[in-house]
């Protein structure tokens, strides 16, 4: 079997409302799907992390840089392909967009491998440790509106996410320490005392501000404090973890086994959040997962994007070994964006319907059982939303 074509589909639509996180507001949603075709008619699907114009740059890397390197190769040789591409791109980017681009191709190759074997991805990975996973619904995005309105909105939205049946929720911060603490109080008020919520700063704080916010979040009994400071600041992460009671989470902006080795050796994370569509695909995710567990660091995958990314992560979460294990073990959760996302809800011929599953299954989502990723994108939908 040979790879005959790699096609990159960048899809885009205008969001019904402006949303934001600590770094920017945005009005459009983008997703970047990768399709790998073969001479035997089997097609694999993957996804690259990276919104907006980043997706357009990655599209060029996928089609103009990676495709010529792997045309004619056997799609089952995915580890050979991974290293051929990485070794040739090393001099031009060991992190960031080259790795995001390679991720989409690698995921599609695993989808092909599952379709050839007629087995779901989780079985190729060694089997399912769980047949469903708890889902946390994130929302409480920033909006360009006064903090007083945002506080009321966050309180109501947090209560609504809980009422939808999610196992936990997550909010954004990024207005500055004082207002952010008020927003977190509003979320605690909204969900009540007996429900887990997490806080995502998207690396907007200095270490001293993160200490101040982190202490307040500890008092509110928030479950984790995500990307409090810049991902490059390894010493800062170590300091925060040593001085704060709240779990420190992060890692979505880290890439490949070498970046993750450094990050883990700094001992600055209580919870690791690898992004399979960015760090180098499933092949590299498995190496990063092994590194995380070798450092006794629990993993809750970072999940963003379309139904292809969600399905990929459901398989990875199913196949993740328990750490440390037990009768009632600690479990990873699926990250789920509760804001408007047509690429997740309407892309597939048979939608995953995560929200319906969460409602019917006490906050849990089942693992897809079809071959490969177990999902089939609707080509008419892709054509309609093509950038
Ligand atoms: Ca995040």
């Amino acid at each position: 079997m040979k790879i005959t074509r790699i096609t990159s589909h960048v899809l885009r639509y205008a969001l019904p409302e402006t949303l934001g996180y600590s770094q920017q507001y945005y009005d459009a949603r983008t997703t970047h799907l990768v399709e790998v075709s073969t001479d035997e008619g089997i097609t694999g699907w993957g996804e690259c992390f990276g919104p907006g114009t980043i997706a357009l740059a990655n599209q060029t890397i996928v089609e103009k840089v990676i495709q010529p390197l792997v045309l004619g190769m056997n799609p089952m040789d995915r580890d050979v392909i991974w290293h051929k591409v990485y070794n040739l791109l090393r001099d031009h980017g060991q992190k960031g967009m080259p790795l995001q681009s390679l991720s989409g191709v690698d995921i599609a190759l695993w989808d092909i491998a599952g379709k050839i074997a007629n087995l779901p991805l989780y079985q190729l990975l060694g089997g399912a440790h769980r047949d469903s996973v708890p889902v946390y619904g994130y929302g409480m995005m920033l909006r360009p509106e006064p903090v007083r309105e945002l506080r009321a909105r966050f309180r109501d939205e947090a209560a609504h996410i809980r009422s939808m049946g999610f196992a936990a929720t997550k909010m954004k911060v990024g207005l500055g320490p004082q207002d952010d603490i008020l927003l977190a109080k509003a979320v605690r008020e909204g969900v009540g005392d007996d429900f887990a919520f997490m806080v995502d700063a998207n690396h907007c704080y200095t270490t001293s501000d993160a200490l101040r916010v982190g202490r307040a979040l500890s008092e509110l009994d928030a479950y984790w404090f995500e990307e409090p400071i810049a991902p490059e600041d390894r010493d800062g992460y170590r300091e925060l973890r040593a001085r704060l009671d709240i779990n420190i989470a992060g890692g979505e902006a880290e890439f490949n086994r070498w970046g993750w080795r450094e990050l883990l050796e700094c001992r600055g994370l209580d919870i690791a959040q690898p992004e399979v569509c960015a760090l180098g695909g499933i092949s590299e995710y498995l190496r990063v997962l092994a590194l995380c567990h070798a450092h006794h660091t629990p993993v809750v995958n970072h999940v963003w994007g379309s139904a292809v990314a969600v399905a990929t992560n459901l398989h990875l979460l199913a196949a993740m070994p328990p750490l440390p294990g037990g009768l009632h073990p600690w479990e990873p959760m699926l990250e789920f964006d509760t804001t408007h996302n047509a690429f997740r809800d309407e892309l597939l011929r048979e939608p995953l319907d995560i929200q319906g599953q969460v409602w019917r299954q006490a906050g849990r989502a089942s693992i897809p059982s079809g071959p490969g990723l177990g999902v089939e994108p609707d080509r008419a939908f892709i054509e309609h939303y093509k950038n």
Side-chain angles (χ1 to χ4, degrees):
M1 186 178 290
K2 286 191 170 93
I3 296 171
T4 53
R5 196 173 68 239
I6 302 184
T7 316
S8 168
H9 305 276
V10 175
L11 316 183
R12 187 178 185 280
Y13 73 96
L15 281 168
E17 59 174 338
T18 298
L19 298 173
Y21 59 103
S22 68
Q23 304 299 321
Q24 63 179 336
Y25 294 111
Y26 54 95
D27 300 307
R29 192 175 292 287
T30 327
T31 203
H32 180 184
L33 303 177
V34 173
E35 180 183 5
V36 175
S37 310
T38 65
D39 60 352
E40 292 186 24
I42 292 178
T43 295
W45 292 92
E47 179 161 349
C48 304
F49 179 76
T53 50
I54 308 298
L56 296 177
N58 284 341
Q59 178 173 48
T60 304
I61 299 176
V62 168
E63 292 192 341
K64 301 284 199 293
V65 182
I66 297 177
Q67 176 173 229
L69 291 174
V70 302
L71 278 185
M73 290 181 75
N74 186 330
M76 289 299 283
D77 292 343
R78 54 192 177 274
D79 201 54
V80 178
I81 290 171
W82 196 98
H83 286 88
K84 179 178 184 185
V85 172
Y86 184 81
N87 290 345
L88 283 163
L89 291 181
R90 175 181 275 128
D91 294 15
H92 313 284
Q94 298 142 18
K95 298 189 180 196
M97 294 194 286
L99 271 290
Q100 292 171 350
S101 303
L102 176 54
S103 298
V105 175
D106 180 81
I107 292 168
L109 295 178
W110 279 90
D111 188 29
I112 289 174
K115 286 170 176 167
I116 290 173
N118 197 27
L119 291 172
L121 174 62
Y122 69 78
Q123 255 173 350
L124 292 190
L125 302 177
H129 292 276
R130 48 194 74 78
D131 54 20
S132 68
V133 287
V135 185
Y136 77 88
Y138 84 82
M140 285 78 79
M141 308 293 292
L142 301 185
R143 264 86 163 185
E145 62 189 28
V147 64
R148 175 184 293 271
E149 285 172 35
L150 209 52
R151 282 168 65 188
R153 181 198 283 277
F154 273 34
R155 188 192 57 224
D156 296 347
E157 195 176 333
H160 179 62
I161 289 173
R162 178 173 184 171
S163 76
M164 290 166 84
F166 287 100
T169 189
K170 189 168 84 181
M171 64 180 293
K172 294 292 188 189
V173 288
L175 304 180
Q178 199 170 337
D179 287 342
D180 289 343
I181 292 167
L182 293 175
L183 290 178
K185 283 181 178 161
V187 167
R188 174 51 85 203
E189 224 182 282
V191 295
D193 289 337
D194 57 344
F195 193 75
F197 81 97
M198 293 79 83
V199 179
D200 188 358
N202 295 97
H203 48 75
C204 67
Y205 298 127
T206 60
T207 303
S208 58
D209 281 349
L211 279 169
R212 178 178 164 200
V213 174
R215 286 191 193 106
L217 297 181
S218 296
E219 276 181 30
L220 291 167
D221 198 24
Y223 182 47
W224 77 54
F225 190 11
E226 178 170 328
E227 284 202 300
I229 56 174
E232 304 94 317
D233 187 2
R234 312 277 205 227
D235 293 341
Y237 273 92
R238 187 169 51 223
E239 188 182 343
L240 291 179
R241 186 172 179 228
R243 293 178 65 182
L244 291 173
D245 289 331
I246 189 170
N247 291 309
I248 303 295
E252 67 182 78
E254 193 50 82
F255 297 84
N256 72 38
R257 73 200 81 159
W258 301 285
W260 271 94
R261 183 187 65 177
E262 278 181 26
L263 179 59
L264 290 161
E265 284 176 353
C266 285
R267 309 302 293 167
L269 293 182
D270 293 291
I271 292 167
Q273 298 172 299
E275 168 53 71
V276 67
C277 300
L279 63 77
I282 294 167
S283 300
E284 197 64 1
Y285 169 91
L286 296 173
R287 294 185 267 262
V288 166
L289 175 67
L291 275 174
C292 290
H293 282 189
H295 288 80
H296 300 279
T297 305
V299 173
V300 179
N301 297 353
H302 178 261
V303 184
W304 183 90
S306 84
V308 171
V310 172
T312 303
N313 277 285
L314 281 170
H315 287 278
L316 296 179
L317 292 169
M320 186 189 295
L323 177 85
L327 185 56
H328 303 287
W330 182 91
E331 280 193 290
M333 294 184 281
L334 175 73
E335 175 169 13
F336 186 84
D337 177 0
T338 63
T339 64
H340 196 274
N341 188 341
F343 300 139
R344 187 196 54 222
D345 298 339
E346 297 163 36
L347 169 70
L348 301 181
R349 282 156 62 171
E350 286 174 48
L352 296 167
D353 186 23
I354 301 291
Q355 286 163 87
Q357 290 193 53
V358 161
W359 177 249
R360 292 189 301 272
Q361 299 175 177
R364 302 183 72 95
S366 302
I367 312 306
S369 55
L373 300 179
V375 294
E376 207 47 56
D378 178 343
R379 287 187 184 277
F381 178 92
I382 289 176
E383 286 311 311
H384 182 76
Y385 285 99
K386 236 174 185 170
N387 197 58

